[in-house]
Amino acid sequence: MGEFDYTDLLPLGADETEYRLITTEGVRKVEAAGRTFLEVEPEALRLLTETAIHDISHFLRTSHLAQLRKIVDDPESSGNDRFVALDLLKNASISAGGVLPMCQDTGTAIVMGKRGRHVLTDGRDAEHVSRGVYDAYTRLNLRYSQMAPLNMWEEKNTGDNLPAQIELYAEDPHGHPDEYKLLFMAKGGGSANKSFLYQETKAVLNEKRMLAFLEEKIRSLGTAACPPYHLAIVVGGTSAEYALKTAKYASARYLDSIPTEGSPSGHGFRDLEMEAKVFELTQKLGIGAQFGGKYFCHDVRVIRLPRHGASCPVAIAVSCSADRQALAKITPEGVFLEQLETDPARFLPETTDEHLSDDVVQVDLNRPMPEILVQLTKYPVKTRLSLTGPLVVARDIAHAKIAELLDNGGEMPEYLKNHAVYYAGPAKTPDGYASGSFGPTTAGRMDSYVGRFQAAGGSMVMLAKGNRSKQVTEACEQHGGFYLGSIGGPAARLAQDCIKKVELLEYPELGMEAVWKIEVVDFPAFIVVDDKGDDFFTDRTGPVLSIGRR
């Protein structure tokens, strides 16, 4: 039996964040019982939250933007790596104008706070934070994505993006009893859906087995969540949910300052050597920044946690190209928020995209569908395209309604026969714009419809993000269809530069899930699945590390 030795599970180091002052109002010192307390008014929490949601919807960290520029400058980057990175830098520059959010999926609001024991509030902190979330989402050009369950099967959009996920702890942050420290995140469905938990055993706790295991699981992430990723891996955990939560925080670099070595007391630590090995693994996969290359990830965090001897959870999570988080603090000096980069244009290179990528094939979408298919069949997968003309927009619920129509003996709508279909859902449209942020959604959710729709003459050309299942490849080979991959991430740039007109076609009651018709100019895409049964991703499924084959 050892002596009592307390340790935080995740002991954080010094906070080196650069903050900006939001306000000095709503906070004051009060004396009582011989101690000094910090009193925080509800408005301080509301204002901080509203400001944080605004900033993380429009600005990125300087370090993240520098990593994008590194891809552009790296001579080992593929042309497609550089093209994606450049488009994401352009998108960040547009989003920083404060009108169009960087991604159309403006996410679930997630707030984690640590309130010092000498911080006084009215006890309704979560309510005031929720009000700030409400004010940000209803006042800005953001999207409402939260679905309230009315019963087990029926749902209704809440219309304000509430509820938020709010977790508040009574803990002196960094040993300061008079501080309130917070982390704000906006997590879209794409990256949230790439959080995974694996219940393993001690057998995986050696380098050879772990790297082989991780290679398989990292491949399964695919590109639907808009790489390059900030990848987080957590090995161990006092519970499954703690492992997953730790992975989420690690993907936001919130845990960068924890120790880099373990100890008998059982605290978690970062394994820097393993981080380097896994990062090297990701660069060898060939997936790259969505369409082939080196930069599947910007960086990797690997955290080792204590575990029950009979359990070995392994959690994996990513932060995507919409890398939305910011730290905040409330102190006696005022209310502060992490300083994000407000001038991302300074990271743009002097070169143009013509110097950064392969030849581009112009595709005129104003032609009949048979002519479009004849042109596409001439080019191999991975070919970069530039689309101009009409697209039909339809996603999950619209596909379900069309399938129901076919079930009842109806005909495939002419708009799906005559036009390429873009899987997407827009954010709110700002005044003076044709569209709100309007990037692609994850294609895989529509996989089950493709064979049936193509057999009925629809969905012959599909446009979205991420990889598709084998059934889509088989359907395209059988019916002569194509799946085109769009760059996941640059929703603001697509809205400003590429989408010129938006009109409602059908199902207005579905809101952003309605069927739309849009006019696009120079809309970027890549051939991912062709009519010959070729899939860009299929030759990237085998192991690349010799350690996985010894």
Side-chain angles (χ1 to χ4, degrees):
M1 181 175 65
E3 295 184 1
F4 176 75
D5 181 16
Y6 175 77
T7 179
D8 287 340
L9 272 177
L10 293 167
L12 295 176
D15 183 5
E16 310 245 342
T17 306
E18 179 185 353
Y19 292 97
R20 67 183 181 93
L21 178 67
I22 301 299
T23 183
T24 57
E25 297 182 1
V27 296
R28 67 187 183 104
K29 293 181 180 180
V30 295
E31 303 289 335
R35 290 184 286 177
T36 302
F37 293 86
L38 174 65
E39 187 174 58
V40 179
E41 296 293 331
E43 172 58 17
L45 284 169
R46 188 212 65 81
L47 176 64
L48 173 60
T49 302
E50 182 183 17
T51 306
I53 296 298
H54 168 275
D55 281 16
I56 64 178
S57 298
H58 290 281
F59 307 125
L60 292 159
R61 286 173 167 157
T62 302
S63 59
H64 176 87
L65 292 161
Q67 288 172 309
L68 285 172
R69 177 57 189 265
K70 177 183 176 183
I71 296 173
V72 176
D73 293 336
D74 187 349
E76 294 183 355
S77 298
S78 70
N80 287 340
D81 274 340
R82 290 192 289 272
F83 177 71
V84 170
L86 180 63
D87 224 38
L88 292 172
L89 284 171
K90 291 177 181 177
N91 186 71
S93 301
I94 293 168
S95 176
V99 178
L100 293 166
M102 67 184 72
C103 179
Q104 81 285 345
D105 184 347
T106 48
T108 297
I110 300 172
V111 184
M112 187 271 288
K114 297 178 179 179
R115 190 175 81 184
R117 57 195 163 92
H118 288 176
V119 176
L120 303 177
T121 70
D122 66 359
R124 295 157 56 201
D125 300 27
E127 179 182 340
H128 307 316
V129 168
S130 292
R131 180 66 202 212
V133 170
Y134 173 90
D135 289 343
Y137 276 87
T138 54
R139 294 172 181 174
L140 301 172
N141 297 309
L142 308 183
R143 196 174 85 184
Y144 309 143
S145 299
Q146 304 309 306
M147 306 298 291
L150 305 180
N151 55 47
M152 182 60 78
W153 318 120
E154 296 178 340
E155 299 176 311
K156 184 178 186 299
N157 194 301
T158 62
D160 53 20
N161 215 56
L162 291 176
Q165 178 180 321
I166 302 171
E167 301 176 4
L168 303 176
Y169 301 91
E171 177 183 329
D172 289 354
H174 293 101
H176 294 289
D178 60 348
E179 287 192 359
Y180 204 150
K181 301 291 287 288
L182 300 105
L183 169 66
F184 292 91
M185 304 177 71
K187 201 74 173 171
S191 69
N193 293 346
K194 295 303 178 182
S195 298
F196 294 101
L197 174 73
Y198 305 97
Q199 294 287 14
E200 298 302 309
T201 69
K202 181 174 170 52
V204 80
L205 294 182
N206 65 76
E207 184 176 302
K208 176 181 176 181
R209 289 288 299 275
M210 180 60 75
L211 283 173
F213 169 83
L214 289 176
E215 180 178 346
E216 175 190 352
K217 303 310 179 187
I218 291 169
R219 286 182 184 281
S220 72
L221 294 174
T223 60
C226 308
Y229 298 132
H230 299 280
L231 173 64
I233 299 162
V234 175
V235 179
T238 50
S239 65
E241 64 270 23
Y242 193 82
L244 281 167
K245 183 181 294 187
T246 301
K248 177 181 287 186
Y249 292 154
S251 72
R253 279 84 73 214
Y254 178 73
L255 302 175
D256 276 8
S257 63
I258 66 172
T260 55
E261 294 181 347
S263 76
S265 62
H267 62 72
F269 66 92
R270 284 180 63 188
D271 188 327
L272 301 183
E273 182 180 355
M274 196 65 174
E275 289 179 1
K277 290 181 177 180
V278 176
F279 183 56
E280 182 182 6
L281 184 160
T282 67
Q283 293 189 315
K284 292 180 177 179
L285 295 178
I287 299 173
Q290 305 188 29
F291 300 103
K294 176 180 176 183
Y295 283 97
F296 187 56
C297 294
H298 285 303
D299 48 39
V300 176
R301 299 293 183 267
V302 177
I303 292 180
R304 182 68 159 87
L305 291 179
R307 68 183 184 93
H308 185 285
S311 301
C312 186
V314 179
I316 295 178
V318 300
S319 184
C320 66
S321 295
D323 186 42
R324 295 173 292 198
Q325 58 265 323
L327 296 169
K329 63 180 180 179
I330 303 175
T331 73
E333 286 71 43
V335 179
F336 297 86
L337 182 62
E338 181 176 355
Q339 178 63 63
L340 302 179
E341 180 58 62
T342 58
D343 183 23
R346 68 188 180 91
F347 290 93
L348 284 167
E350 295 297 326
T351 50
T352 64
D353 27 332
E354 285 76 16
H355 297 112
L356 294 171
S357 57
D358 300 324
D359 292 338
V360 183
V361 175
Q362 303 291 328
V363 179
D364 181 5
L365 298 175
N366 290 290
R367 297 172 296 165
M369 181 56 65
E371 292 185 21
I372 297 173
L373 297 175
V374 167
Q375 179 185 14
L376 292 179
T377 197
K378 299 176 182 177
Y379 299 97
V381 294
K382 198 178 174 181
T383 300
R384 183 183 156 203
L385 310 174
S386 180
L387 311 178
T388 297
L391 290 168
V392 167
V393 179
R395 46 180 284 164
D396 307 60
I397 300 178
H399 275 68
K401 283 187 170 292
I402 293 168
E404 183 180 0
L405 175 68
L406 297 178
D407 287 340
N408 294 327
E411 296 289 326
M412 174 63 64
E414 288 298 313
Y415 54 73
L416 274 189
K417 292 182 178 180
N418 298 331
H419 301 293
V421 58
Y422 179 37
Y423 302 158
K428 282 184 282 188
T429 302
D431 291 340
Y433 285 75
S435 166
S437 291
F438 211 156
T441 196
T442 303
R445 298 201 305 274
M446 269 57 74
D447 283 5
S448 62
Y449 299 102
V450 174
R452 187 176 182 199
F453 280 24
Q454 288 190 344
S459 296
M460 296 305 296
V461 177
M462 302 161 285
L463 176 66
K465 66 174 181 176
N467 45 304
R468 307 298 294 265
S469 63
K470 185 179 179 181
Q471 63 182 318
V472 172
T473 305
E474 292 174 346
C476 287
E477 183 178 16
Q478 179 180 356
H479 300 292
F482 290 83
Y483 166 56
L484 312 181
S486 179
I487 300 174
R493 195 191 80 76
L494 293 176
Q496 176 178 284
D497 298 340
C498 301
I499 299 174
K500 302 304 180 182
K501 183 180 179 182
V502 178
E503 61 178 296
L504 181 68
L505 281 185
E506 197 168 16
Y507 307 125
E509 70 277 10
L510 300 183
M512 67 103 176
E513 292 259 10
V515 177
W516 309 84
K517 184 178 180 181
I518 64 175
E519 294 285 337
V520 302
V521 174
D522 293 330
F523 195 105
F526 296 79
I527 299 177
V528 176
V529 176
D530 66 14
D531 58 349
K532 305 168 190 68
D534 298 320
D535 181 344
F536 164 72
F537 290 103
T538 55
D539 62 349
R540 288 160 175 80
T541 57
V544 297
L545 296 184
S546 59
I547 194 168
R549 300 193 293 270
R550 284 177 188 161

